[in-house]
Amino acid sequence: LELHEKTAAYYQERLTSPDNASGAGAYLQKRELTETTPSEYRLGYAPKGFETLLTLARSWGFEEKELEESGLFSIRDYPKNGERLFDRFRNRLMFPIFDEQARVIGFSGRVIPPDDAKAKYMNSPETMLFKKSRVLYGIEKARKPMTDVRRAILCEGQLDVIRCHEA
């Protein structure tokens, strides 16, 4: 949980940093979200580097096993320059995924247009924290209103969920 929280804060900082030339901010402007929505949903940006987050996570003091099991890093079959791990999310608009207690348990990353990555969206793999079949994006914000009105609207994508909450 601590690694995921620190990662979410790092991605959020990257999205709002003045030297961020990722295009993620421009993409969000194009989607016409309200000014406060990116911070309310803790949206972020994963930089292009293959070991940017990895280096940072090690500096935070996390052990190799924790890094491997976090879902934030992929494992190479054949180490490159002695390194087995690399950042799973690169050059993506990041959507932290929260549990019902509003703890970061995973991520979904959308490729930044016009990048030609094979997968438009990439999600955290199943981990001890993140079980895809047990999580709904935005549940931490929708739980109380759903209980109050005894209704729910399910949406397919993260931006669809965010737009419904904005409305």
Side-chain angles (χ1 to χ4, degrees), residues 45-63:
Y45 170 68
K48 293 180 182 182
F50 276 77
E51 295 174 11
T52 307
L53 179 62
L54 179 62
T55 301
L56 190 58
R58 284 182 173 145
S59 77
W60 292 331
F62 291 97
E63 297 176 13

Side-chain angles (χ1 to χ4, degrees), residues 23-149:
Y27 175 75
L28 288 175
Q29 284 182 332
K30 181 179 162 191
R31 295 303 301 256
E32 299 179 352
L33 300 176
T34 68
E35 189 176 313
T36 59
T37 293
S39 62
E40 287 174 21
Y41 285 83
R42 301 191 59 200
L43 304 185
Y45 170 68
K48 293 180 182 182
F50 276 77
E51 295 174 11
T52 307
L53 179 62
L54 179 62
T55 301
L56 190 58
R58 284 182 173 145
S59 77
W60 292 331
F62 291 97
E63 297 176 13
E64 290 301 302
K65 184 174 172 137
E66 292 172 308
L67 300 176
E68 288 178 17
E69 294 178 357
S70 70
L72 296 169
F73 307 99
S74 295
I75 302 173
R76 292 182 177 102
D77 291 331
Y78 303 99
K80 183 177 177 182
N81 299 322
E83 182 58 67
R84 293 177 46 246
L85 300 178
F86 64 96
D87 295 4
R88 176 180 302 277
F89 301 103
R90 297 176 308 281
N91 194 34
R92 291 181 181 267
L93 174 63
M94 298 302 293
F95 297 84
I97 299 170
F98 300 91
D99 65 10
E100 292 179 10
Q101 290 82 41
R103 299 176 299 187
V104 181
I105 58 170
F107 291 89
S108 182
R110 190 209 191 282
V111 71
I112 306 299
D115 195 311
D116 61 350
K118 292 177 186 173
K120 185 176 178 180
Y121 281 92
M122 179 182 289
N123 299 314
S124 290
E126 296 266 332
T127 66
M128 63 187 286
L129 292 177
F130 182 61
K131 306 288 185 214
K132 293 179 186 184
S133 64
R134 297 181 179 253
V135 176
L136 289 174
Y137 181 77
I139 192 66
E140 78 287 358
K141 294 192 182 309
R143 186 176 179 193
K144 180 163 177 9
M146 286 181 351
T147 302
D148 292 347
V149 298

